[in-house]
């Protein structure tokens, strides 16, 4: 059984999709042992509490980079975490942690990377940019986390169409529905060693 830590900063609907996928066995051989939030009083922490999952708040701004890294690594070691999932997490992980967990950390981003990603592109800002650009498709991306912002190797993407009567809010809603489908699919493949590398590019291969 693989132990997961889910890192959050907000409502936690992606965390909930993982909790539900484990309960319905869409994700096999894994348990969520720890939820780490970058902020206090976010709804994601209530979801963790409701499902009896241990949680901690680790705010980057209240400590030095080294203290922040050691606090995170200490928690992950205490709970014997094998894989880390960033689900609506808004802080940047320290390099020591991303190196230590190389190819064992994934993030969900609400756009089709490399479009509408990187510094400043998070939450509704992404969907407003998609709306203003008149893009005809948007979507979500699950990728490995390296030392950069939304720069790790892409594992899975799925798109949604953008119609004339869409708003940034309706685009966000459509994309969030996609997120709740692809993130559990990727977590299941990750913990069951079904992500294979082809010339430096990861693909899910359940064969
Ligand atoms: C999601 O769109 C996620 O991709 C983005 O933040 C939004 C909220 O996620 N990073 P959640 O409901 O907190 O999981």
């Amino acid at each position: 059984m693989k132990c997961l830590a889910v890192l959050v900063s907000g409502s936690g609907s992606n965390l909930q999709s993982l909790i539900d996928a484990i309960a319905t066995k869409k994700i096999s051989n894994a348990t969520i042992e720890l939820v780490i939030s970058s902020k206090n009083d976010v709804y994601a922490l209530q979801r963790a509490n409701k499902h009896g999952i241990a949680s901690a708040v680790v705010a980057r701004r209240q400590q030095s980079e080294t203290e922040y890294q050691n606090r995170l690594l200490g928690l992950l070691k205490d709970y014997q975490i094998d894989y880390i999932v960033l689900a609506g997490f808004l802080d940047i992980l320290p390099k020591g942690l991303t190196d230590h967990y190389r190819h064992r950390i994934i993030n969900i981003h609400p756009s089709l990377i490399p479009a509408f990603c990187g510094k400043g592109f998070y939450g509704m800002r992404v969907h407003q940019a998609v709306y203003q650009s008149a893009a005809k498709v948007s979507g979500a991306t699950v990728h490995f986390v390296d030392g950069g912002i939304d720069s790790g190797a892409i594992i899975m993407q799925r798109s949604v169409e953008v119609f004339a009567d869409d708003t940034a809010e309706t685009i966000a809603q459509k994309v969030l529905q996609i997120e709740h489908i692809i993130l559990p699919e990727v977590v299941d493949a990750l913990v069951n060693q079904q992500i294979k590398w082809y010339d430096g590019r990861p693909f899910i291969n359940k064969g």
Side-chain angles (χ1 to χ4, degrees):
M1 192 61 86
K2 298 298 181 187
C3 298
L4 303 176
V6 181
L7 276 55
V8 298
S9 297
S11 77
S13 68
N14 279 294
L15 165 64
Q16 191 67 51
S17 74
L18 297 176
I19 292 170
D20 299 345
I22 289 172
T24 56
K25 303 210 175 331
K26 278 204 192 102
I27 296 175
S28 60
N29 304 317
T31 61
I32 301 172
E33 294 296 325
L34 179 64
V35 169
I36 299 176
S37 177
S38 63
K39 295 178 185 165
N40 280 303
D41 308 325
V42 293
Y43 190 60
L45 290 169
Q46 291 183 38
R47 295 180 196 268
N49 193 36
K50 187 169 157 230
H51 292 275
I53 302 168
S55 64
V57 175
V58 183
R60 185 192 186 118
R61 283 172 197 73
Q62 290 160 6
Q63 52 205 312
S64 71
E65 182 74 357
T66 311
E67 287 165 337
Y68 180 58
Q69 178 169 296
N70 294 342
R71 174 90 172 102
L72 290 172
L73 283 171
L75 279 167
L76 297 166
K77 191 159 177 262
D78 292 349
Y79 287 85
Q80 299 176 325
I81 298 302
D82 301 298
Y83 297 99
I84 300 169
V85 181
L86 307 188
F89 183 70
L90 296 178
D91 267 341
I92 309 296
L93 293 177
K95 189 157 181 349
L97 196 155
T98 52
D99 290 349
H100 184 81
Y101 275 89
R102 184 170 152 71
H103 293 156
R104 293 193 287 148
I105 312 177
I106 62 172
N107 178 48
I108 179 105
H109 182 76
S111 81
L112 296 175
I113 293 176
F116 309 105
C117 70
K119 200 167 170 37
F121 281 99
Y122 56 87
M124 277 310 296
R125 293 173 174 216
V126 173
H127 308 295
Q128 275 143 7
V130 168
Y131 177 84
Q132 274 142 18
S133 76
K136 298 301 179 275
V137 292
S138 187
T141 302
V142 181
H143 61 94
F144 281 113
V145 174
D146 58 10
I149 303 178
D150 306 329
S151 53
I154 294 169
I155 306 166
M156 184 182 276
Q157 296 183 297
R158 203 157 294 164
S159 63
V160 297
E161 271 195 89
V162 178
F163 301 109
D165 59 357
D166 268 312
T167 63
E169 288 68 28
T170 59
I171 296 168
Q173 282 158 17
K174 286 196 278 193
V175 170
L176 199 55
Q177 283 172 6
I178 292 281
E179 293 180 49
H180 297 163
I181 295 167
I182 66 171
L183 187 59
E185 280 184 28
V186 173
V187 169
D188 184 58
L190 181 69
V191 300
N192 290 297
Q193 281 72 48
Q194 294 164 337
I195 297 179
K196 312 294 180 197
W197 291 81
Y198 302 85
D199 190 21
R201 301 161 309 136
F203 286 83
I204 292 179
N205 179 341
K206 296 196 174 216

